[in-house]
Amino acid sequence: MASLLRLQALFSLTLATPRCLPSHLRCVAAVASPVPSRLPAAASNGSPEQRASETTLESGLYLVATPIGNLEDITLRALRVLKCACVILSEDTRHSGKLLQHYNIKTPLLSFHKFNEREREPIILKRLHEGEAIAVISDAGTPGISDPGMELARLCMTEKIPVIPIPGPSAAIAALSASGLPTEEFTFVGFLPKHGRSRKARLEVSAREAVTQIFYVPPHGIQQFLVDAASSFGDSRSCVIAREITKLHEEFWRGTLGEANEAFATRQPKGEITILIDGNSISIVEKPSDDFLEHELRELMAKGHALSTAVKLVAEATSAKKKDVYALALRVFGK
């Protein structure tokens, strides 16, 4: 009985104390915690080996995806990792504190955002080298995807520190899945550059691509984005504007960029916005390079074809004009 009382006291101290205990002690205490109520039951299923792995957390950097709105959109594994980690790096500790409080997670928070990540990185790497398990979360969604975490993960890989993804919510994927636009291929652009010329250049690149383009747009910038996008993509290109995904006022607006400009000209939407634009349906044939044409000409002539015949065959097999191929042949091989 005395041993049992000492063990219970150790568990109470673990939950109340912010310092990081050895992983096997901290994780057992975390799993013994009553919230969420379904976590212990879920962890108790499966083989003894599986149960053992679910109550331990190895040293490394854990990139934990968190809800983009609805707090129910979090995995049991994410909850376990957040409970068992020595510390949680958070983009906004006040915002993340609400999520942790909702699930009664007592793990200490440390701010980690674009303004202090360079300063924090040496300290974090030191703690990881000492054997700690550190979790990274952003305000919403998956860390490192238009959020802090990418550079830290890269540093860890350089230092041979394990980087473990804990997958979950992503606004881009959620919006794409319900957009009605082609999903076989897509380009995730994220936030555009702030500088006007760079922003325009990036939109021009996206406008030429044949796959669905996905952008993150701040609420205050939607009007300017739609004006710039219509200029690059054209008014008739189809788009989807997804707002407040998984939240009470979730909205999917569908139409053309021209219609979107009219609809949002005087409307200032709130919340996070993901905009998807249909790919370019007009096939853009890339002009072959001179090096490629020269190589093809040499191959044909090596097989015994006359120069004039080689020029004809290359022109027919590519998008190059015959006169251009002939001019190149004259420059390279002479008359």
Side-chain angles (χ1 to χ4, degrees):
M1 177 62 74
S3 298
L4 178 60
L5 290 175
R6 284 198 297 273
L7 185 60
Q8 289 175 338
L10 175 60
F11 286 169
S12 300
L13 179 62
T14 303
L15 291 174
T17 306
R19 65 188 180 87
C20 182
L21 294 176
S23 61
H24 66 284
L25 293 181
R26 180 172 180 82
C27 291
V28 170
V31 173
S33 150
V35 179
S37 60
R38 289 173 295 179
L39 185 57
S44 67
N45 296 327
S47 65
E49 293 80 4
Q50 181 182 7
R51 292 197 298 271
S53 68
E54 288 174 346
T55 57
T56 59
L57 197 61
E58 298 298 328
S59 173
L61 184 73
Y62 292 78
L63 305 177
V64 184
T66 54
I68 57 178
N70 193 317
L71 293 184
E72 293 180 1
D73 295 332
I74 192 166
T75 67
L76 295 176
R77 187 184 179 204
L79 290 173
R80 179 174 66 84
V81 169
L82 293 178
K83 279 179 175 290
C84 293
C86 296
V87 66
I88 299 172
L89 306 180
S90 167
E91 190 175 1
D92 185 334
T93 56
R94 292 170 300 178
H95 179 85
S96 298
K98 298 175 184 177
L99 172 68
L100 301 189
Q101 183 179 13
H102 182 80
Y103 287 103
N104 195 30
I105 296 173
K106 307 296 185 180
T107 308
L109 285 168
L110 179 66
S111 65
F112 183 75
H113 45 71
K114 64 181 180 180
F115 299 109
N116 72 357
E117 58 183 331
R118 295 297 187 196
E119 174 189 345
R120 297 279 198 216
E121 282 166 355
I123 302 171
I124 296 166
L125 288 174
K126 182 176 182 294
R127 294 182 65 167
L128 287 165
H129 278 302
E130 290 172 352
E132 292 192 8
I134 296 180
V136 181
I137 62 176
S138 63
D139 286 348
T142 304
I145 309 300
S146 291
D147 279 327
M150 180 188 70
E151 289 298 333
L152 179 58
R154 184 180 295 173
L155 279 174
C156 286
M157 286 182 278
T158 302
E159 298 277 335
K160 308 301 182 184
I161 296 170
V163 177
I164 305 97
I166 309 299
S170 168
I173 299 302
L176 177 65
S177 67
S179 68
L181 296 177
T183 60
E184 295 87 353
E185 293 183 70
F186 60 90
T187 298
F188 173 68
V189 181
F191 290 103
L192 289 173
K194 293 183 178 180
H195 188 269
R197 183 175 296 175
S198 299
R199 185 170 63 247
K200 179 71 173 176
R202 185 63 188 83
L203 285 170
E204 290 292 341
V205 171
S206 287
R208 293 193 294 269
E209 293 200 26
V211 301
T212 301
Q213 304 292 295
I214 307 175
F215 302 89
Y216 285 163
V217 181
H220 64 271
I222 186 171
Q223 284 95 355
Q224 186 62 55
F225 174 89
L226 291 172
V227 169
D228 292 342
S231 174
S232 297
F233 288 80
D235 285 337
S236 61
R237 191 78 71 91
S238 295
C239 71
V240 176
I241 300 174
R243 185 180 68 87
E244 294 285 83
I245 302 173
T246 78
K247 297 181 182 178
L248 180 63
H249 301 291
E250 178 180 279
E251 175 187 15
F252 278 81
W253 185 97
R254 296 174 173 86
T256 65
L257 283 169
E259 293 167 342
N261 265 304
E262 294 181 9
F264 288 88
T266 57
R267 178 184 171 190
Q268 182 61 62
K270 296 181 179 180
E272 298 298 325
I273 298 172
T274 303
I275 298 183
L276 305 94
I277 303 179
D278 198 7
N280 189 356
S281 60
I282 302 174
S283 177
I284 300 176
V285 180
E286 185 177 353
K287 182 181 178 182
S289 67
D290 286 352
D291 287 342
F292 174 79
L293 294 174
E294 181 182 338
H295 175 268
E296 293 300 300
L297 288 169
R298 288 187 184 277
E299 287 285 315
L300 290 170
M301 292 174 68
K303 294 177 181 178
H305 291 286
L307 180 62
S308 58
T309 304
V311 167
K312 179 182 178 183
L313 292 173
V314 169
E316 290 175 349
T318 67
S319 61
K321 295 180 179 179
K322 184 177 178 180
K323 66 176 183 179
D324 294 335
V325 179
Y326 186 68
L328 173 64
L330 290 179
R331 290 200 306 272
V332 175
F333 304 104
K335 296 183 180 180

